[in-house]
Amino acid sequence: MTEQTAPTTAAGEPATARGEQTRQLILDTAMRLFRERGYARTTMRAIAQEAGVAVGNAYYYFGSKEHLIQEFYAHAQAEHRATAGPVLARETDLAARLAGVMHAGIDVLTPSHSFAASFFKTAAEPTSPLSPFSAESSGPREAAIGLFAEALDGSTARFDPELRPHLPELLWLAYMGVVLHWVYDRSPGQARTRELIDGAVPLVDRLVGLSRLRVLRPVTRQVLDLIRTLRH
Amino acid sequence: MTEQTAPTTAAGEPATARGEQTRQLILDTAMRLFRERGYARTTMRAIAQEAGVAVGNAYYYFGSKEHLIQEFYAHAQAEHRATAGPVLARETDLAARLAGVMHAGIDVLTPSHSFAASFFKTAAEPTSPLSPFSAESSGPREAAIGLFAEALDGSTARFDPELRPHLPELLWLAYMGVVLHWVYDRSPGQARTRELIDGAVPLVDRLVGLSRLRVLRPVTRQVLDLIRTLRH
DNA sequence: CGAGCCACTTGAACACGTTCAAGATGTCGC
DNA sequence: GCGACATCTTGAACGTGTTCAAGTGGCTCG
């Protein structure tokens, strides 16, 4: 269904106060039901009924069931920024800043872990507008990468300056790996993922520092060459 | 639907020659249609009709539409092994062996790139039996990891022996990253992914060799500690 | 105050994956 | 040959996401 043509733009934005209200009502109801029953077991009919509107009305505001998730996505992104703010204002150590940003991201996602898996399913599809690599997601993606740029620039860490242009994106990619782990993490409270962050961040910190080392210069160059090749 | 209880076992294996034949017929038809029209646009009704059987008959042999993909999955795994065989018999250089295994994997997948994306969508769901990390996939997964163990052991490369127990799985993980890139790769013939392999393999080769370096001993330890922590 | 317009709302209808009770087909023991 | 049993095979029916032609309501302009 989504295979041929993924919807490129969301359904119409509301133009009146009444519309805005209905839209919010449907969205809130959907999020509540998703959390209560999970994504798959929440039907569009149930959402409409609980919200007291017709099924077609939900489709007036949201192009598909997936688009309801996209809202959640954007919301989480904004919350991530807000939650990471204090840490970035306080810490100067790179490891602390990175850990802060990553933990903040997981903090925001945690209450939704149960249905984030289904969310992830559709997000994983390359043609889906929900994909973190898609053009439609470029806004939130850039914002997230910016968060890592900020974590980097506000720190006292020293590293090979050649790395600077690409490091934020690499860190974001590592964070995507963490999120991937989190999605699959069945340990209570996703504690395993917390351990992953706490273990991986010092490692990354150390590697970044090592980039100043002479022996590793060729490796750094090789990494950068690879990135440049892939980028065109 | 798959959210609550993912089907743990495939539908009944055929017990008669007739059954085996019907099963094969349905499978071949499905694969043909998947390639022709893509996964989403191929309906179970179409498969049944083209195969000349009733819709319910397909469900007698395959628990769901996803299970049809699982067949493809297993088949590709076996083919990967076969395709990688000659390279592993010929080469002794680690980089050449790794590149051989990875290129062989992509070779096998390439004809199915168009519908592998949809395949990937369901495989990405953590609760899906199709997930490369799932218990149901442990057979193919172990086989794939074994392929990398073989690539490692048959090579002349030297590295920190402490790495040996974990390296095959790490290499497999890197390969999963390559596959992920391939799925998203829209360049003609997925040439970009080939470049990724050719660029990343020498890098991995070099890093593995560097593990013997004194300065990097702490980093190696840190990596191994992290892995051990995550593994329990 | 009325006509026209636009934003919104409705719910029946559609196509799809999936289920299942009923039947058809073969095979084996006697 | 024949009954009994396991192995298939059938297609109508169900629940789902989604569409769309037909409304409904309130606002503006004259």
Side-chain angles (χ1 to χ4, degrees), chain A residues 1 3 39-41 118 120-121 124-126 131 183-184 192 195-196 199 202-203 206 219 222 229-230 232, chain B residues 1 3 39-41 118 120-121 124-126 131 183-184 192 195-196 202-203 206 219 222 226 229-230 232:
Chain A
M1 218 130 281
E3 194 165 32
Y39 179 74
R41 307 212 308 180
S118 337
F120 177 72
K121 171 179 178 171
E125 176 153 40
S131 160
V183 167
Y184 281 90
R192 200 58 68 68
E195 291 175 23
L196 172 61
L203 191 58
R206 177 173 250 163
V219 188
Q222 210 172 341
T229 302
L230 292 178
H232 237 201
Chain B
M1 214 129 285
E3 194 166 28
Y39 178 74
R41 307 210 308 178
S118 339
F120 177 71
K121 171 180 177 171
E125 175 153 40
S131 160
V183 168
Y184 282 91
R192 200 57 66 70
E195 291 175 22
L196 172 60
L203 190 58
R206 178 173 251 164
V219 187
Q222 211 172 342
L226 178 56
T229 301
L230 292 179
H232 238 201

Side-chain angles (χ1 to χ4, degrees), chain A residues 168-191:
Chain A
E169 187 157 6
L170 284 180
L171 292 172
W172 172 77
L173 214 54
Y175 173 62
M176 287 294 100
V178 168
V179 172
L180 183 65
H181 183 276
W182 175 81
V183 167
Y184 281 90
D185 191 350
R186 302 247 188 116
S187 66
Q190 292 82 51

Side-chain angles (χ1 to χ4, degrees), chain A residues 7 9-14 19-31 34 44 47 51 53 55-72:
Chain A
T9 115
E13 291 296 303
E20 182 55 40
Q21 206 172 343
T22 307
R23 187 191 140 92
Q24 235 356 277
L25 174 64
I26 292 169
L27 189 54
D28 290 345
T29 308
M31 286 304 146
F34 286 165
M44 291 301 283
I47 294 171
V53 300
V55 129
N57 203 1
Y59 282 91
Y60 180 77
Y61 291 105
F62 303 95
S64 72
K65 198 179 171 187
E66 288 189 21
H67 278 86
L68 282 164
I69 297 181
Q70 203 160 27
E71 290 301 306
F72 166 82

Side-chain angles (χ1 to χ4, degrees), chain A residues 45-211:
Chain A
R45 284 168 179 79
I47 294 171
Q49 185 170 358
E50 288 270 316
V53 300
V55 129
N57 203 1
Y59 282 91
Y60 180 77
Y61 291 105
F62 303 95
S64 72
K65 198 179 171 187
E66 288 189 21
H67 278 86
L68 282 164
I69 297 181
Q70 203 160 27
E71 290 301 306
F72 166 82
Y73 195 68
H75 191 264
Q77 181 51 48
E79 227 181 315
H80 185 184
R81 235 235 146 286
T83 309
V87 183
L88 290 179
R90 186 183 347 119
E91 304 284 349
T92 58
D93 179 55
L94 177 57
R97 291 171 71 80
L98 284 180
V101 169
M102 293 200 178
H103 278 300
I106 299 299
D107 284 346
V108 167
L109 290 176
T110 290
S112 316
H113 185 262
S114 56
F115 82 91
S118 337
F119 162 122
F120 177 72
K121 171 179 178 171
T122 73
E125 176 153 40
T127 61
S128 166
L130 283 173
S131 160
F133 304 107
S134 77
E136 287 85 348
S137 300
S138 69
R141 180 176 63 244
E142 295 304 328
I145 294 174
L147 219 45
F148 285 101
E150 203 176 324
L152 205 57
D153 291 338
S155 84
T156 53
R158 311 224 166 159
F159 52 89
D160 186 339
E162 279 198 80
L163 279 177
R164 178 57 188 81
H166 299 296
L167 208 41
E169 187 157 6
L170 284 180
L171 292 172
W172 172 77
L173 214 54
Y175 173 62
M176 287 294 100
V178 168
V179 172
L180 183 65
H181 183 276
W182 175 81
V183 167
Y184 281 90
D185 191 350
R186 302 247 188 116
S187 66
Q190 292 82 51
R192 200 58 68 68
T193 298
R194 303 302 185 156
E195 291 175 23
L196 172 61
I197 294 176
D198 293 333
V201 162
L203 191 58
V204 168
D205 182 43
R206 177 173 250 163
L207 285 174
V208 168
L210 281 174
S211 71

Side-chain angles (χ1 to χ4, degrees), chain B residues 22-39 42-44 46-48 50-51 58 62 64-65 67-69 71-72 115:
Chain B
T22 307
R23 187 192 140 91
Q24 236 354 279
L25 173 63
I26 292 168
L27 189 54
D28 291 346
T29 309
M31 286 304 146
R32 179 170 61 79
L33 292 184
F34 285 165
R35 270 186 246 269
E36 283 175 16
R37 318 179 181 177
Y39 178 74
T42 302
T43 70
M44 291 300 283
I47 294 171
E50 288 270 317
F62 303 95
S64 72
K65 198 179 173 188
H67 278 86
L68 282 164
I69 297 182
E71 290 300 306
F72 166 83
F115 83 90

Side-chain angles (χ1 to χ4, degrees), chain B residues 6 9 11 60 68 73 80 84 100 117 148 150 166-167 225:
Chain B
T9 115
Y60 181 79
L68 282 164
Y73 194 70
H80 185 185
F148 285 100
E150 202 176 323
H166 299 296
L167 208 41
D225 280 350

